Amino acid sequence: MNRTKRKNRIRSREDVILDIIIYVFCILIFIATVYPFWYVFIVSLNEGVDTALGGMYFWPRAFTLDNFKKFLTDITWLKALGVSVARTVIGTAIGVIFTMIVAYGLSFKDLLNRKLYMTMIIITMYFSGGIIPYYVLLRSLNLINTFYVYIIPGALNTFFLTVGLSFFMGIPSSLRESAKIDGASELKVFTHIILPISKPFVATLVLFIGVGHWNNWFDSTFYVRDKNLMTLSFRMMEVINKTKVSATAAAAGISSTTTSLSVQAAAMIIAVVPIILVYPFLQKYFVTGMFAGSVKE
């Protein structure tokens, strides 16, 4: 009896020590993950010149909303924000529609030349011509330096296509067959039966494609020269690559309290807000959509 109590006591001590280690590790991970976002937030609410002096870590030292006012009154930032919003909305809608239609079509096992289509998709997933042939292709299609270069090349993602293919193949064919017996056309079957039960997959597509368009700055760097077509992400990257205001210049006194870095921090906060607002509504579908078609019974 005493031996059992002693073992339980030893085991409980080990559990406590292990719990402490786990909690400390989780707290460190939490701080390392959250603090960069918190720092950007306090920089956006602090005078840019004061921030350049350094020594600010946990809260704004000279609170101001001038950074957000500067962002909302700067035509360059507003144009970039408008391009990003237009690209995200249009690109996400087209990407979801194309992915759903193509994946649904390829899910038919009796589709003519289905193996050929699947082989082409797999090849494009593993091999590419490189950035120079890709640039030449875009130029031959007259997409360079146009808004359409953000939309058309990314209208169909092969990875999401394969996920959608697995999802649609997991839907019982009896649903479609029974609807067709009742006289429903293929389009009606897709819109009235397939789409309603595909909400998890659609929500996952919207989230991934939307975030991809919203955060993408690569296209603006290589394929766009028109300043009016630059995205918000590219403008922020542009600010990062610029020379920051030095502490010496800040100490000497500058008429404006904002700097390019402080305005960029405000832009980053504004850029994150849409994702934060959208994600809670899609979260309940997210896990289901990620594992769509991954388990076969």
Side-chain angles (χ1 to χ4, degrees):
M1 190 72 176
N2 292 331
R3 289 183 179 179
T4 304
K5 291 182 178 179
R6 191 173 181 180
K7 287 182 179 179
N8 292 335
R9 191 180 300 115
I10 294 175
R11 189 181 301 111
S12 62
R13 289 176 182 175
E14 293 175 350
D15 292 340
V16 170
I17 294 174
L18 183 59
D19 289 341
I20 292 175
I21 294 175
I22 293 174
Y23 286 137
V24 170
F25 182 74
C26 290
I27 291 173
L28 292 177
I29 295 296
F30 177 80
I31 294 174
T33 305
V34 174
Y35 180 74
F37 294 97
W38 175 250
Y39 182 76
V40 171
F41 179 69
I42 64 176
V43 168
S44 68
L45 295 176
N46 197 72
E47 292 183 358
V49 176
D50 181 77
T51 302
L53 297 175
M56 186 180 66
Y57 303 105
F58 298 107
W59 49 79
R61 189 167 50 206
F63 179 83
T64 182
L65 295 176
D66 290 345
N67 298 315
F68 291 94
K69 293 178 181 177
K70 177 68 174 176
F71 174 83
L72 296 174
T73 56
D74 191 329
I75 189 64
T76 302
W77 284 107
L78 290 180
K79 284 182 178 179
L81 177 62
V83 172
S84 291
V85 171
R87 171 186 181 169
T88 301
V89 173
I90 299 174
T92 302
I94 292 179
V96 171
I97 293 172
F98 272 59
T99 302
M100 293 287 291
I101 292 176
V102 176
Y104 179 67
L106 290 174
S107 65
F108 292 93
K109 296 181 179 180
D110 56 348
L111 177 67
L112 185 64
N113 295 325
R114 182 176 182 271
K115 290 185 178 180
L116 175 62
Y117 299 145
M118 292 301 302
T119 302
M120 294 171 61
I121 292 171
I122 297 300
I123 290 176
T124 57
M125 288 182 63
Y126 289 100
F127 303 98
S128 67
I131 189 171
I132 295 178
Y134 183 62
Y135 181 88
V136 173
L137 175 62
L138 294 179
R139 187 178 62 180
S140 65
L141 295 174
N142 296 322
L143 294 177
I144 297 296
N145 204 35
T146 65
F147 178 76
Y148 301 106
V149 77
Y150 297 139
I151 307 299
I152 295 178
L156 186 63
N157 185 289
T158 52
F159 172 75
F160 297 142
L161 180 61
T162 55
V163 176
L165 179 61
S166 299
F167 176 80
F168 288 127
M169 290 183 68
I171 298 176
S173 58
S174 56
L175 288 176
R176 187 174 64 89
E177 293 172 357
S178 60
K180 296 199 74 174
I181 291 175
D182 292 336
S185 62
E186 199 65 61
L187 180 61
K188 197 168 185 178
V189 171
F190 181 73
T191 56
H192 287 73
I193 297 178
I194 302 301
L195 283 183
I197 61 178
S198 303
K199 288 182 179 179
F201 177 59
V202 174
T204 305
L205 277 182
V206 170
L207 183 63
F208 275 100
I209 296 177
V211 171
H213 277 289
W214 185 257
N215 292 334
N216 196 316
W217 56 269
F218 185 85
D219 296 343
S220 297
T221 305
F222 292 99
Y223 311 130
V224 176
R225 298 184 301 274
D226 189 350
K227 297 297 182 182
N228 294 323
L229 292 177
M230 299 300 180
T231 61
L232 182 61
S233 299
F234 175 81
R235 291 295 181 190
M236 288 190 287
M237 287 296 300
E238 196 176 37
V239 172
I240 291 175
N241 293 328
K242 286 182 178 178
T243 305
K244 299 178 183 178
V245 177
S246 64
T248 304
I254 301 177
S255 58
S256 176
T257 59
T258 63
T259 62
S260 59
L261 178 63
S262 63
V263 176
Q264 184 213 20
M268 292 174 66
I269 296 300
I270 293 176
V272 170
V273 167
I275 307 300
I276 295 177
L277 294 178
V278 171
Y279 182 76
F281 297 99
L282 303 179
Q283 184 181 10
K284 62 180 180 180
Y285 301 112
F286 183 72
V287 175
T288 305
M290 282 297 296
F291 289 96
S294 60
V295 178
K296 302 291 183 182
E297 295 183 357

